[in-house]
Amino acid sequence: MRRLFGTDGVRGLANGELLTPELAVAVSASAVRVLVAHAAAGDAHRPVALVGRDPRASGEMLEAAVLAGLTSAGADAVRLGVLPTPAVAHLVEALGADLGVMISASHNAMPDNGIKLFAAGGQKLPDSLESEIERGLDSTAPRPTGAGVGRVRELPDAVERYVAHLLAATPGSLSGIRVVVDCAHGAASEAAPVAYAKAGADVVALHASPDGLNINAGVGSTHMDPLQAAVVRERAHLGIAHDGDADRCLAVDADGRVVDGDQLMAVLALAMRDSGELVEDTLVATVMSNLGLHLAMRGAGITVRTTAVGDRYVLEDLREHGFSLGGEQSGHVVLPRYATTGDGLLTALRVMARMAQTGRSLAELAGVVTVLPQVLQNVRVADKEAVAASPAVAAAVAEAERELGDTGRVLLRPSGTEQLVRVMVEAPTQDSADTLATRIAAVVATA
C-alpha cells in the first residue's frame, strides 16, 4: 500500500480519489487516538486541537470534516480560520494544545488541498507517528458519546496573536523600508501586510484579496514576474513573495532581481553571526543549495552542514544538534529560537531588519553569494535505484567532476516519489552546466 503521508502531510486533489471528507474525518480521529495513546501516563485531560486553513474553497469542506473527526474522537477543537501554516505551529506551542491541523496545499494550484499535522509544541510529526495514524484509519475503537464528544470553539484573535509573536522576534524597527508583498491570494493575505506595517515598514500589498478560487493563480513565490514589475513600479526597496500557506518566501531587490532562499539564508547567517545568535557559526542547508552559498559562508568563517532534500530533514538536524538557522533554496527558512517550522513572514521581517540596521540594500546584502548557474534534469527510468548505482553513471559523474574541479559540482540522486533520477550540475557558465547535465542525463537514460 502506498504511504498516505508525503514529505509534508497528506496532499492531493480535494474531493478527488484520495483527499475526501471521509479521509479527513478518519485522519483527524486517528491522530487524536494516537497522540492520546502516546501522552504521559496518568494524563487524562481532554485533548485540544487547533485547526487552521488557507483560503482555497475546498478548505471550508475539509475544515468541517476535520472538526468532525477531532470531536468524534473526544478532542475539543479550536477553529483558527485563515492564517499561515507557521501561525498554527506557533499557536499550538503558545496555547499548550495537543495537536494542530493545517489544511493547505501550499504552492499547489487551487483544486488541490492537504492536511498537515503538528504535535504538542508545534513540532512536525515523525514518520513513525504518521505511520501509526495511517494504521489507525479503520479503527473500530469505541467512540465517546454524550459529554465525551468534543466541542468546537473559535479563537477570534488568532492572527493578532501570531503577529504579536512575529513583532517580538523582529530586532528593531523597519522604518524607512518600502516593501511590496505578494500574498498569492493565500493564507498570509491579512497577516503579512499587517505584520510588516506594524514593524514600521511602508507596505504595498499585492494579490491580497482571496476569493477561494484565486490562490496561487499566476502569483506568489512560484510566479515572480508580477512582483518584480511592482517593485520597480512602486520604487520599493524590496519585494517579498509568499506561497499559499506562507511557510516560505522569496525576495526581489530594488532593481527587480529575484533573491532566492540561499541568498536569504546568507543574509540571515551573517546577521546572526554578528549578533552572536548563530550557534557554532553553523548554517544547515540541503544538498540542493547552490555552491555559491557554500563558498560565501566559507569565506565568512561559517560552516554549512547539508541534509537530504526536504525541510523536515533540516528541522531534524537543527533540533538534534541545537543549531539556530537552516533552510532550503526554495525559501523555507527555519529559526528554531522563534519557530518550529519554516516561516516566510519571520524570514522576511528578519531580512528587512538587517537592511534597516545596516542601511544596506538587499542587492548589496545578498551579493555576498555569487550564484553559480545550476541545471536540473529529471530522467525517467525503470529502476531509479539500480540506474543511480550503475558503474556507467558513476563514471559519467566522475568525468564531469574532474572537468569542473573546484569550480562546480554534480549531484545525482533518485527521486523520493517517482521513478526518476535527478541530475543537477553547477558550473561557472550556463553553457558548461547545460552541456555536462545533458551528457550525464544521456548516460542515465541508457544505463
Side-chain angles (χ1 to χ4, degrees), residues 249-265:
C249 76
L250 296 176
V252 170
D253 69 20
D255 293 321
R257 293 183 295 257
V258 173
V259 177
D260 69 13
D262 285 342
Q263 294 166 295
L264 295 177
M265 284 191 289

Side-chain angles (χ1 to χ4, degrees), residues 67-446:
L67 293 171
L70 295 169
T71 53
S72 74
D76 286 339
V78 181
R79 184 191 283 120
L80 303 177
V82 174
L83 76 178
T85 290
V88 175
H90 164 69
L91 290 169
V92 168
E93 180 182 28
L95 299 178
D98 302 277
L99 173 66
V101 184
M102 179 65 186
I103 302 165
S104 174
S106 188
H107 61 277
N108 285 31
M110 182 277 294
D112 287 348
N113 217 322
I115 299 173
K116 304 180 186 183
L117 301 177
F118 293 98
Q123 304 290 341
K124 289 190 175 183
L125 269 61
D127 289 348
S128 58
L129 279 185
E130 289 182 342
S131 296
E132 195 171 339
I133 290 169
E134 284 191 37
R135 292 193 297 270
L137 293 180
D138 298 320
S139 172
T140 57
R143 292 186 293 186
T145 58
V149 174
R151 306 295 296 273
V152 179
R153 65 178 187 271
E154 313 285 334
L155 187 68
D157 63 342
V159 171
E160 289 83 353
R161 288 172 183 252
Y162 172 56
V163 168
H165 155 69
L166 292 173
L167 296 177
T170 304
S173 171
L174 305 186
S175 178
I177 300 292
R178 181 169 172 81
V179 58
V180 180
V181 53
D182 185 343
C183 300
H185 296 307
S189 293
E190 178 183 356
V194 169
Y196 301 159
K198 285 195 171 184
D202 176 14
V203 180
V204 178
L206 194 67
H207 309 132
S209 302
D211 62 9
L213 306 177
N214 57 4
I215 185 170
N216 298 326
V219 297
S221 60
T222 54
H223 302 87
M224 298 289 286
D225 290 354
L227 178 61
Q228 291 173 276
V231 168
V232 175
R233 182 177 65 249
E234 297 288 342
R235 297 184 179 180
H237 295 97
L238 78 160
I240 295 295
H242 292 299
D243 58 343
D245 70 337
D247 63 351
R248 65 187 178 105
C249 76
L250 296 176
V252 170
D253 69 20
D255 293 321
R257 293 183 295 257
V258 173
V259 177
D260 69 13
D262 285 342
Q263 294 166 295
L264 295 177
M265 284 191 289
V267 172
L268 295 180
L270 293 173
M272 294 172 68
R273 181 203 61 185
D274 292 349
S275 66
E277 292 181 276
L278 192 65
V279 172
E280 295 184 24
D281 285 344
T282 296
L283 167 67
V284 180
T286 77
V287 293
M288 291 300 292
S289 278
N290 195 274
L291 179 60
L293 173 65
H294 292 259
L295 296 175
M297 294 298 93
R298 185 185 307 162
I302 293 172
T303 299
V304 179
R305 290 173 57 91
T306 55
T307 73
V309 176
D311 66 324
R312 70 184 311 159
Y313 301 111
V314 174
L315 278 163
E316 287 172 4
D317 200 68
L318 289 169
R319 285 200 294 264
E320 181 179 354
H321 300 285
F323 297 125
S324 52
L325 177 65
E328 296 185 283
Q329 191 180 58
S330 61
H332 285 102
V333 177
V334 185
L335 294 105
R337 178 179 174 184
Y338 306 103
T340 59
T341 188
D343 189 330
L345 281 74
L346 177 61
T347 301
L349 286 164
R350 301 280 295 196
V351 168
M352 287 188 279
R354 179 66 166 176
M355 292 171 63
Q357 288 169 342
T358 61
R360 299 165 68 189
S361 70
L362 180 58
E364 186 179 358
L365 292 171
V368 67
V369 176
T370 300
V371 178
L372 272 68
Q374 186 181 82
V375 174
L376 177 64
Q377 293 194 20
N378 296 318
V379 185
R380 189 163 296 279
V381 296
D383 186 339
K384 59 187 178 184
E385 302 295 343
V387 169
S390 79
V393 170
V397 170
E399 175 60 27
E401 289 176 334
R402 278 193 294 272
E403 291 183 33
L404 288 168
D406 294 332
T407 67
R409 65 180 181 130
V410 178
L411 176 65
L412 185 142
R413 65 184 182 88
S415 166
T417 57
E418 302 175 82
Q419 284 295 340
L420 299 173
V421 173
R422 306 193 192 280
V423 179
M424 191 273 283
V425 176
E426 290 172 348
T429 67
Q430 190 67 54
D431 285 346
S432 177
D434 289 336
T435 298
L436 292 175
T438 299
R439 185 200 304 169
I440 296 170
V443 176
V444 170
T446 57

